[in-house]
mmCIF file of all heavy atoms in Angstrom:
data_model
loop_
_atom_site.group_PDB
_atom_site.id
_atom_site.type_symbol
_atom_site.label_atom_id
_atom_site.label_comp_id
_atom_site.label_asym_id
_atom_site.label_seq_id
_atom_site.Cartn_x
_atom_site.Cartn_y
_atom_site.Cartn_z
ATOM 1 N N LEU A 41 0.383 -17.439 -5.740
ATOM 2 C CA LEU A 41 -0.562 -18.429 -6.251
ATOM 3 C C LEU A 41 -1.979 -18.070 -5.797
ATOM 4 O O LEU A 41 -2.936 -18.103 -6.587
ATOM 5 C CB LEU A 41 -0.153 -19.823 -5.745
ATOM 6 C CG LEU A 41 -1.135 -20.975 -6.006
ATOM 7 C CD1 LEU A 41 -1.438 -21.121 -7.496
ATOM 8 C CD2 LEU A 41 -0.561 -22.282 -5.444
ATOM 9 N N GLY A 42 -2.110 -17.710 -4.536
ATOM 10 C CA GLY A 42 -3.418 -17.351 -3.997
ATOM 11 C C GLY A 42 -4.022 -16.145 -4.705
ATOM 12 O O GLY A 42 -5.241 -16.063 -4.900
ATOM 13 N N LYS A 43 -3.170 -15.215 -5.099
ATOM 14 C CA LYS A 43 -3.663 -14.040 -5.840
ATOM 15 C C LYS A 43 -4.310 -14.472 -7.154
ATOM 16 O O LYS A 43 -5.397 -14.008 -7.514
ATOM 17 C CB LYS A 43 -2.502 -13.094 -6.124
ATOM 18 C CG LYS A 43 -2.897 -11.781 -6.756
ATOM 19 C CD LYS A 43 -1.693 -11.045 -7.330
ATOM 20 C CE LYS A 43 -0.718 -10.624 -6.253
ATOM 21 N NZ LYS A 43 0.516 -10.020 -6.825
ATOM 22 N N LYS A 44 -3.655 -15.384 -7.859
ATOM 23 C CA LYS A 44 -4.248 -15.885 -9.111
ATOM 24 C C LYS A 44 -5.607 -16.527 -8.825
ATOM 25 O O LYS A 44 -6.588 -16.268 -9.518
ATOM 26 C CB LYS A 44 -3.323 -16.906 -9.772
ATOM 27 C CG LYS A 44 -2.019 -16.309 -10.276
ATOM 28 C CD LYS A 44 -1.376 -17.253 -11.308
ATOM 29 C CE LYS A 44 -0.063 -16.682 -11.833
ATOM 30 N NZ LYS A 44 1.088 -16.984 -10.972
ATOM 31 N N LEU A 45 -5.654 -17.383 -7.806
ATOM 32 C CA LEU A 45 -6.912 -18.076 -7.500
ATOM 33 C C LEU A 45 -7.998 -17.079 -7.118
ATOM 34 O O LEU A 45 -9.171 -17.240 -7.489
ATOM 35 C CB LEU A 45 -6.684 -19.092 -6.370
ATOM 36 C CG LEU A 45 -5.699 -20.218 -6.710
ATOM 37 C CD1 LEU A 45 -5.334 -21.006 -5.452
ATOM 38 C CD2 LEU A 45 -6.282 -21.149 -7.781
ATOM 39 N N TYR A 46 -7.603 -16.046 -6.381
ATOM 40 C CA TYR A 46 -8.558 -15.022 -5.943
ATOM 41 C C TYR A 46 -9.216 -14.337 -7.146
ATOM 42 O O TYR A 46 -10.382 -13.938 -7.087
ATOM 43 C CB TYR A 46 -7.824 -13.996 -5.078
ATOM 44 C CG TYR A 46 -8.701 -12.959 -4.422
ATOM 45 C CD1 TYR A 46 -9.236 -13.172 -3.152
ATOM 46 C CD2 TYR A 46 -9.000 -11.748 -5.052
ATOM 47 C CE1 TYR A 46 -10.038 -12.229 -2.538
ATOM 48 C CE2 TYR A 46 -9.804 -10.802 -4.448
ATOM 49 C CZ TYR A 46 -10.319 -11.039 -3.189
ATOM 50 O OH TYR A 46 -11.113 -10.102 -2.581
ATOM 51 N N PHE A 47 -8.457 -14.204 -8.224
ATOM 52 C CA PHE A 47 -8.966 -13.520 -9.422
ATOM 53 C C PHE A 47 -9.523 -14.487 -10.457
ATOM 54 O O PHE A 47 -9.952 -14.051 -11.525
ATOM 55 C CB PHE A 47 -7.850 -12.692 -10.065
ATOM 56 C CG PHE A 47 -7.629 -11.364 -9.394
ATOM 57 C CD1 PHE A 47 -6.746 -11.238 -8.333
ATOM 58 C CD2 PHE A 47 -8.324 -10.244 -9.800
ATOM 59 C CE1 PHE A 47 -6.553 -10.018 -7.709
ATOM 60 C CE2 PHE A 47 -8.142 -9.021 -9.188
ATOM 61 C CZ PHE A 47 -7.256 -8.904 -8.129
ATOM 62 N N ASP A 48 -9.536 -15.787 -10.175
ATOM 63 C CA ASP A 48 -9.847 -16.749 -11.224
ATOM 64 C C ASP A 48 -11.320 -17.157 -11.204
ATOM 65 O O ASP A 48 -11.767 -17.866 -10.301
ATOM 66 C CB ASP A 48 -8.953 -17.986 -11.088
ATOM 67 C CG ASP A 48 -8.874 -18.743 -12.415
ATOM 68 O OD1 ASP A 48 -9.886 -18.751 -13.150
ATOM 69 O OD2 ASP A 48 -7.806 -19.290 -12.721
ATOM 70 N N PRO A 49 -12.099 -16.729 -12.214
ATOM 71 C CA PRO A 49 -13.519 -17.094 -12.249
ATOM 72 C C PRO A 49 -13.738 -18.577 -12.544
ATOM 73 O O PRO A 49 -14.874 -19.059 -12.434
ATOM 74 C CB PRO A 49 -14.090 -16.214 -13.372
ATOM 75 C CG PRO A 49 -12.939 -15.794 -14.190
ATOM 76 C CD PRO A 49 -11.726 -15.839 -13.321
ATOM 77 N N ARG A 50 -12.685 -19.292 -12.912
ATOM 78 C CA ARG A 50 -12.868 -20.726 -13.163
ATOM 79 C C ARG A 50 -13.085 -21.518 -11.879
ATOM 80 O O ARG A 50 -13.384 -22.705 -11.926
ATOM 81 C CB ARG A 50 -11.680 -21.276 -13.960
ATOM 82 C CG ARG A 50 -11.699 -20.799 -15.410
ATOM 83 C CD ARG A 50 -10.418 -21.146 -16.125
ATOM 84 N NE ARG A 50 -9.274 -20.460 -15.509
ATOM 85 C CZ ARG A 50 -8.027 -20.508 -15.995
ATOM 86 N NH1 ARG A 50 -7.767 -21.226 -17.081
ATOM 87 N NH2 ARG A 50 -7.048 -19.843 -15.407
ATOM 88 N N LEU A 51 -12.977 -20.855 -10.717
ATOM 89 C CA LEU A 51 -13.373 -21.507 -9.465
ATOM 90 C C LEU A 51 -14.888 -21.481 -9.281
ATOM 91 O O LEU A 51 -15.410 -21.977 -8.286
ATOM 92 C CB LEU A 51 -12.697 -20.832 -8.263
ATOM 93 C CG LEU A 51 -11.181 -21.037 -8.121
ATOM 94 C CD1 LEU A 51 -10.666 -20.332 -6.879
ATOM 95 C CD2 LEU A 51 -10.850 -22.528 -8.066
ATOM 96 N N SER A 52 -15.612 -20.881 -10.230
ATOM 97 C CA SER A 52 -17.077 -20.863 -10.150
ATOM 98 C C SER A 52 -17.662 -21.716 -11.265
ATOM 99 O O SER A 52 -17.030 -21.950 -12.295
ATOM 100 C CB SER A 52 -17.614 -19.435 -10.256
ATOM 101 O OG SER A 52 -17.390 -18.903 -11.561
ATOM 102 N N LYS A 53 -18.877 -22.168 -11.079
ATOM 103 C CA LYS A 53 -19.553 -22.999 -12.076
ATOM 104 C C LYS A 53 -19.665 -22.272 -13.423
ATOM 105 O O LYS A 53 -19.481 -22.858 -14.485
ATOM 106 C CB LYS A 53 -20.951 -23.354 -11.561
ATOM 107 C CG LYS A 53 -21.718 -24.261 -12.502
ATOM 108 C CD LYS A 53 -23.115 -24.594 -11.976
ATOM 109 C CE LYS A 53 -23.751 -25.636 -12.886
ATOM 110 N NZ LYS A 53 -25.202 -25.457 -12.996
ATOM 111 N N SER A 54 -19.970 -20.983 -13.361
ATOM 112 C CA SER A 54 -20.207 -20.214 -14.588
ATOM 113 C C SER A 54 -18.927 -19.839 -15.309
ATOM 114 O O SER A 54 -18.956 -19.458 -16.470
ATOM 115 C CB SER A 54 -20.958 -18.926 -14.259
ATOM 116 O OG SER A 54 -20.170 -18.116 -13.399
ATOM 117 N N GLY A 55 -17.805 -19.877 -14.615
ATOM 118 C CA GLY A 55 -16.580 -19.337 -15.192
ATOM 119 C C GLY A 55 -16.588 -17.818 -15.221
ATOM 120 O O GLY A 55 -15.761 -17.200 -15.910
ATOM 121 N N PHE A 56 -17.506 -17.181 -14.498
ATOM 122 C CA PHE A 56 -17.684 -15.731 -14.597
ATOM 123 C C PHE A 56 -17.435 -15.021 -13.263
ATOM 124 O O PHE A 56 -17.190 -13.821 -13.240
ATOM 125 C CB PHE A 56 -19.110 -15.439 -15.075
ATOM 126 C CG PHE A 56 -19.367 -14.008 -15.459
ATOM 127 C CD1 PHE A 56 -18.650 -13.408 -16.487
ATOM 128 C CD2 PHE A 56 -20.343 -13.262 -14.817
ATOM 129 C CE1 PHE A 56 -18.904 -12.083 -16.861
ATOM 130 C CE2 PHE A 56 -20.613 -11.943 -15.184
ATOM 131 C CZ PHE A 56 -19.884 -11.353 -16.213
ATOM 132 N N ILE A 57 -17.544 -15.758 -12.138
ATOM 133 C CA ILE A 57 -17.489 -15.100 -10.827
ATOM 134 C C ILE A 57 -16.248 -15.529 -10.057
ATOM 135 O O ILE A 57 -16.012 -16.724 -9.852
ATOM 136 C CB ILE A 57 -18.768 -15.426 -10.019
ATOM 137 C CG1 ILE A 57 -19.980 -14.809 -10.734
ATOM 138 C CG2 ILE A 57 -18.668 -14.907 -8.604
ATOM 139 C CD1 ILE A 57 -21.265 -14.901 -9.945
ATOM 140 N N SER A 58 -15.468 -14.563 -9.646
ATOM 141 C CA SER A 58 -14.284 -14.834 -8.827
ATOM 142 C C SER A 58 -14.470 -14.192 -7.462
ATOM 143 O O SER A 58 -15.423 -13.433 -7.246
ATOM 144 C CB SER A 58 -13.041 -14.255 -9.495
ATOM 145 O OG SER A 58 -13.080 -12.841 -9.432
ATOM 146 N N CYS A 59 -13.565 -14.477 -6.542
ATOM 147 C CA CYS A 59 -13.597 -13.779 -5.254
ATOM 148 C C CYS A 59 -13.626 -12.273 -5.484
ATOM 149 O O CYS A 59 -14.352 -11.533 -4.809
ATOM 150 C CB CYS A 59 -12.368 -14.116 -4.411
ATOM 151 S SG CYS A 59 -12.029 -15.876 -4.202
ATOM 152 N N ASN A 60 -12.825 -11.828 -6.473
ATOM 153 C CA ASN A 60 -12.734 -10.385 -6.712
ATOM 154 C C ASN A 60 -14.040 -9.782 -7.235
ATOM 155 O O ASN A 60 -14.219 -8.571 -7.186
ATOM 156 C CB ASN A 60 -11.588 -10.091 -7.687
ATOM 157 C CG ASN A 60 -11.173 -8.634 -7.668
ATOM 158 O OD1 ASN A 60 -10.727 -8.136 -6.638
ATOM 159 N ND2 ASN A 60 -11.341 -7.941 -8.784
ATOM 160 N N SER A 61 -14.975 -10.604 -7.728
ATOM 161 C CA SER A 61 -16.267 -10.059 -8.168
ATOM 162 C C SER A 61 -17.008 -9.418 -6.998
ATOM 163 O O SER A 61 -17.674 -8.398 -7.166
ATOM 164 C CB SER A 61 -17.155 -11.168 -8.754
ATOM 165 O OG SER A 61 -16.544 -11.810 -9.838
ATOM 166 N N CYS A 62 -16.943 -10.042 -5.843
ATOM 167 C CA CYS A 62 -17.706 -9.574 -4.681
ATOM 168 C C CYS A 62 -16.827 -8.874 -3.657
ATOM 169 O O CYS A 62 -17.344 -8.179 -2.769
ATOM 170 C CB CYS A 62 -18.425 -10.743 -4.017
ATOM 171 S SG CYS A 62 -19.565 -11.579 -5.145
ATOM 172 N N HIS A 63 -15.528 -9.078 -3.759
ATOM 173 C CA HIS A 63 -14.580 -8.379 -2.875
ATOM 174 C C HIS A 63 -13.560 -7.712 -3.781
ATOM 175 O O HIS A 63 -12.401 -8.112 -3.847
ATOM 176 C CB HIS A 63 -13.902 -9.361 -1.925
ATOM 177 C CG HIS A 63 -14.852 -10.193 -1.122
ATOM 178 N ND1 HIS A 63 -15.520 -9.686 -0.024
ATOM 179 C CD2 HIS A 63 -15.254 -11.476 -1.247
ATOM 180 C CE1 HIS A 63 -16.292 -10.644 0.497
ATOM 181 N NE2 HIS A 63 -16.163 -11.742 -0.232
ATOM 182 N N ASN A 64 -14.041 -6.696 -4.488
ATOM 183 C CA ASN A 64 -13.270 -6.058 -5.554
ATOM 184 C C ASN A 64 -12.168 -5.194 -4.947
ATOM 185 O O ASN A 64 -12.448 -4.223 -4.231
ATOM 186 C CB ASN A 64 -14.233 -5.218 -6.399
ATOM 187 C CG ASN A 64 -13.610 -4.777 -7.699
ATOM 188 O OD1 ASN A 64 -12.423 -4.459 -7.760
ATOM 189 N ND2 ASN A 64 -14.419 -4.755 -8.749
ATOM 190 N N LEU A 65 -10.927 -5.548 -5.245
ATOM 191 C CA LEU A 65 -9.804 -4.830 -4.633
ATOM 192 C C LEU A 65 -9.600 -3.445 -5.238
ATOM 193 O O LEU A 65 -8.803 -2.664 -4.732
ATOM 194 C CB LEU A 65 -8.536 -5.680 -4.698
ATOM 195 C CG LEU A 65 -8.667 -6.983 -3.891
ATOM 196 C CD1 LEU A 65 -7.455 -7.873 -4.093
ATOM 197 C CD2 LEU A 65 -8.888 -6.688 -2.406
ATOM 198 N N SER A 66 -10.337 -3.132 -6.289
ATOM 199 C CA SER A 66 -10.376 -1.754 -6.783
ATOM 200 C C SER A 66 -11.386 -0.914 -5.997
ATOM 201 O O SER A 66 -11.441 0.296 -6.164
ATOM 202 C CB SER A 66 -10.776 -1.724 -8.270
ATOM 203 O OG SER A 66 -9.834 -2.384 -9.073
ATOM 204 N N MET A 67 -12.209 -1.571 -5.184
ATOM 205 C CA MET A 67 -13.298 -0.874 -4.489
ATOM 206 C C MET A 67 -13.324 -1.242 -3.002
ATOM 207 O O MET A 67 -14.361 -1.631 -2.465
ATOM 208 C CB MET A 67 -14.647 -1.224 -5.134
ATOM 209 C CG MET A 67 -14.633 -1.090 -6.652
ATOM 210 S SD MET A 67 -16.265 -1.083 -7.449
ATOM 211 C CE MET A 67 -17.000 -2.574 -6.806
ATOM 212 N N GLY A 68 -12.166 -1.136 -2.361
ATOM 213 C CA GLY A 68 -12.116 -1.369 -0.921
ATOM 214 C C GLY A 68 -12.375 -2.808 -0.525
ATOM 215 O O GLY A 68 -12.732 -3.081 0.624
ATOM 216 N N GLY A 69 -12.200 -3.752 -1.437
ATOM 217 C CA GLY A 69 -12.393 -5.168 -1.093
ATOM 218 C C GLY A 69 -13.850 -5.547 -0.888
ATOM 219 O O GLY A 69 -14.160 -6.553 -0.242
ATOM 220 N N SER A 70 -14.760 -4.726 -1.442
ATOM 221 C CA SER A 70 -16.192 -5.015 -1.326
ATOM 222 C C SER A 70 -16.829 -4.877 -2.703
ATOM 223 O O SER A 70 -16.132 -4.637 -3.691
ATOM 224 C CB SER A 70 -16.849 -4.043 -0.341
ATOM 225 O OG SER A 70 -16.917 -2.752 -0.910
ATOM 226 N N ASP A 71 -18.164 -5.039 -2.799
ATOM 227 C CA ASP A 71 -18.812 -4.872 -4.098
ATOM 228 C C ASP A 71 -19.669 -3.610 -4.160
ATOM 229 O O ASP A 71 -20.233 -3.309 -5.209
ATOM 230 C CB ASP A 71 -19.633 -6.116 -4.488
ATOM 231 C CG ASP A 71 -20.686 -6.481 -3.441
ATOM 232 O OD1 ASP A 71 -20.932 -5.657 -2.522
ATOM 233 O OD2 ASP A 71 -21.257 -7.577 -3.534
ATOM 234 N N ASN A 72 -19.765 -2.915 -3.020
ATOM 235 C CA ASN A 72 -20.543 -1.678 -2.984
ATOM 236 C C ASN A 72 -21.981 -1.885 -3.446
ATOM 237 O O ASN A 72 -22.590 -1.010 -4.067
ATOM 238 C CB ASN A 72 -19.859 -0.559 -3.788
ATOM 239 C CG ASN A 72 -18.514 -0.130 -3.208
ATOM 240 O OD1 ASN A 72 -17.593 0.216 -3.931
ATOM 241 N ND2 ASN A 72 -18.387 -0.143 -1.892
ATOM 242 N N LEU A 73 -22.513 -3.062 -3.153
ATOM 243 C CA LEU A 73 -23.927 -3.354 -3.401
ATOM 244 C C LEU A 73 -24.589 -3.608 -2.052
ATOM 245 O O LEU A 73 -23.935 -3.993 -1.089
ATOM 246 C CB LEU A 73 -24.077 -4.592 -4.285
ATOM 247 C CG LEU A 73 -23.439 -4.513 -5.671
ATOM 248 C CD1 LEU A 73 -23.537 -5.851 -6.394
ATOM 249 C CD2 LEU A 73 -24.100 -3.403 -6.505
ATOM 250 N N ARG A 74 -25.892 -3.437 -1.996
ATOM 251 C CA ARG A 74 -26.624 -3.695 -0.761
ATOM 252 C C ARG A 74 -26.387 -5.153 -0.326
ATOM 253 O O ARG A 74 -25.894 -5.416 0.765
ATOM 254 C CB ARG A 74 -28.107 -3.419 -0.985
ATOM 255 C CG ARG A 74 -28.966 -3.508 0.243
ATOM 256 C CD ARG A 74 -30.419 -3.295 -0.154
ATOM 257 N NE ARG A 74 -30.695 -1.898 -0.448
ATOM 258 C CZ ARG A 74 -31.309 -1.074 0.405
ATOM 259 N NH1 ARG A 74 -31.703 -1.518 1.588
ATOM 260 N NH2 ARG A 74 -31.538 0.166 0.081
ATOM 261 N N THR A 75 -26.768 -6.089 -1.180
ATOM 262 C CA THR A 75 -26.361 -7.481 -0.980
ATOM 263 C C THR A 75 -25.787 -7.965 -2.303
ATOM 264 O O THR A 75 -26.053 -7.372 -3.350
ATOM 265 C CB THR A 75 -27.543 -8.383 -0.553
ATOM 266 O OG1 THR A 75 -28.527 -8.362 -1.586
ATOM 267 C CG2 THR A 75 -28.168 -7.897 0.753
ATOM 268 N N SER A 76 -25.019 -9.023 -2.261
ATOM 269 C CA SER A 76 -24.229 -9.432 -3.422
ATOM 270 C C SER A 76 -25.068 -10.029 -4.541
ATOM 271 O O SER A 76 -26.198 -10.474 -4.334
ATOM 272 C CB SER A 76 -23.209 -10.491 -3.010
ATOM 273 O OG SER A 76 -22.229 -9.924 -2.209
ATOM 274 N N ILE A 77 -24.461 -10.066 -5.731
ATOM 275 C CA ILE A 77 -25.004 -10.787 -6.869
ATOM 276 C C ILE A 77 -24.196 -12.069 -7.009
ATOM 277 O O ILE A 77 -22.977 -12.026 -7.126
ATOM 278 C CB ILE A 77 -24.874 -9.948 -8.158
ATOM 279 C CG1 ILE A 77 -25.696 -8.660 -8.037
ATOM 280 C CG2 ILE A 77 -25.273 -10.773 -9.375
ATOM 281 C CD1 ILE A 77 -25.476 -7.682 -9.181
ATOM 282 N N GLY A 78 -24.873 -13.210 -6.990
ATOM 283 C CA GLY A 78 -24.167 -14.488 -7.116
ATOM 284 C C GLY A 78 -24.522 -15.195 -8.412
ATOM 285 O O GLY A 78 -25.112 -14.601 -9.330
ATOM 286 N N HIS A 79 -24.155 -16.477 -8.498
ATOM 287 C CA HIS A 79 -24.417 -17.302 -9.675
ATOM 288 C C HIS A 79 -25.853 -17.105 -10.167
ATOM 289 O O HIS A 79 -26.797 -17.114 -9.379
ATOM 290 C CB HIS A 79 -24.196 -18.779 -9.332
ATOM 291 C CG HIS A 79 -24.431 -19.691 -10.491
ATOM 292 N ND1 HIS A 79 -23.502 -19.866 -11.492
ATOM 293 C CD2 HIS A 79 -25.494 -20.460 -10.834
ATOM 294 C CE1 HIS A 79 -23.980 -20.709 -12.394
ATOM 295 N NE2 HIS A 79 -25.185 -21.087 -12.022
ATOM 296 N N ASN A 80 -25.995 -16.964 -11.466
ATOM 297 C CA ASN A 80 -27.316 -16.831 -12.070
ATOM 298 C C ASN A 80 -28.053 -15.579 -11.596
ATOM 299 O O ASN A 80 -29.278 -15.524 -11.592
ATOM 300 C CB ASN A 80 -28.152 -18.092 -11.773
ATOM 301 C CG ASN A 80 -29.221 -18.326 -12.808
ATOM 302 O OD1 ASN A 80 -29.175 -17.729 -13.891
ATOM 303 N ND2 ASN A 80 -30.190 -19.154 -12.491
ATOM 304 N N TRP A 81 -27.256 -14.567 -11.189
ATOM 305 C CA TRP A 81 -27.788 -13.267 -10.756
ATOM 306 C C TRP A 81 -28.662 -13.396 -9.506
ATOM 307 O O TRP A 81 -29.601 -12.624 -9.284
ATOM 308 C CB TRP A 81 -28.581 -12.588 -11.881
ATOM 309 C CG TRP A 81 -28.512 -11.084 -11.867
ATOM 310 C CD1 TRP A 81 -29.439 -10.227 -11.348
ATOM 311 C CD2 TRP A 81 -27.465 -10.251 -12.400
ATOM 312 N NE1 TRP A 81 -29.043 -8.917 -11.523
ATOM 313 C CE2 TRP A 81 -27.846 -8.905 -12.175
ATOM 314 C CE3 TRP A 81 -26.246 -10.491 -13.034
ATOM 315 C CZ2 TRP A 81 -27.039 -7.808 -12.574
ATOM 316 C CZ3 TRP A 81 -25.461 -9.418 -13.431
ATOM 317 C CH2 TRP A 81 -25.862 -8.097 -13.199
ATOM 318 N N GLN A 82 -28.375 -14.416 -8.689
ATOM 319 C CA GLN A 82 -29.133 -14.544 -7.452
ATOM 320 C C GLN A 82 -28.824 -13.393 -6.503
ATOM 321 O O GLN A 82 -27.678 -12.991 -6.345
ATOM 322 C CB GLN A 82 -28.787 -15.860 -6.750
ATOM 323 C CG GLN A 82 -29.412 -17.066 -7.383
ATOM 324 C CD GLN A 82 -28.844 -18.342 -6.793
ATOM 325 O OE1 GLN A 82 -29.296 -18.811 -5.762
ATOM 326 N NE2 GLN A 82 -27.831 -18.887 -7.445
ATOM 327 N N GLU A 83 -29.844 -12.921 -5.838
ATOM 328 C CA GLU A 83 -29.706 -11.853 -4.854
ATOM 329 C C GLU A 83 -29.202 -12.471 -3.549
ATOM 330 O O GLU A 83 -29.842 -13.358 -2.987
ATOM 331 C CB GLU A 83 -31.078 -11.191 -4.650
ATOM 332 C CG GLU A 83 -31.026 -9.968 -3.788
ATOM 333 C CD GLU A 83 -32.329 -9.160 -3.856
ATOM 334 O OE1 GLU A 83 -33.214 -9.491 -4.671
ATOM 335 O OE2 GLU A 83 -32.445 -8.203 -3.075
ATOM 336 N N GLY A 84 -28.059 -12.012 -3.078
ATOM 337 C CA GLY A 84 -27.472 -12.582 -1.868
ATOM 338 C C GLY A 84 -28.218 -12.157 -0.619
ATOM 339 O O GLY A 84 -28.988 -11.196 -0.631
ATOM 340 N N PRO A 85 -27.992 -12.876 0.499
ATOM 341 C CA PRO A 85 -28.747 -12.631 1.719
ATOM 342 C C PRO A 85 -28.180 -11.500 2.581
ATOM 343 O O PRO A 85 -28.873 -11.014 3.471
ATOM 344 C CB PRO A 85 -28.628 -13.961 2.475
ATOM 345 C CG PRO A 85 -27.319 -14.538 2.003
ATOM 346 C CD PRO A 85 -27.124 -14.065 0.596
#
Side-chain angles (χ1 to χ4, degrees):
Chain A
L41 171 57
K43 186 194 295 175
K44 293 199 180 84
L45 297 169
Y46 186 91
F47 279 89
D48 201 326
R50 288 170 297 185
L51 290 181
S52 68
K53 182 181 187 214
S54 62
F56 190 61
I57 295 188
S58 70
C59 308
N60 197 62
S61 302
C62 301
H63 306 283
N64 193 323
L65 297 174
S66 297
M67 311 194 307
S70 71
D71 57 11
N72 295 145
L73 300 174
R74 186 183 285 258
T75 61
S76 290
I77 297 172
H79 181 79
N80 206 15
W81 212 262
Q82 284 170 85
E83 187 167 353

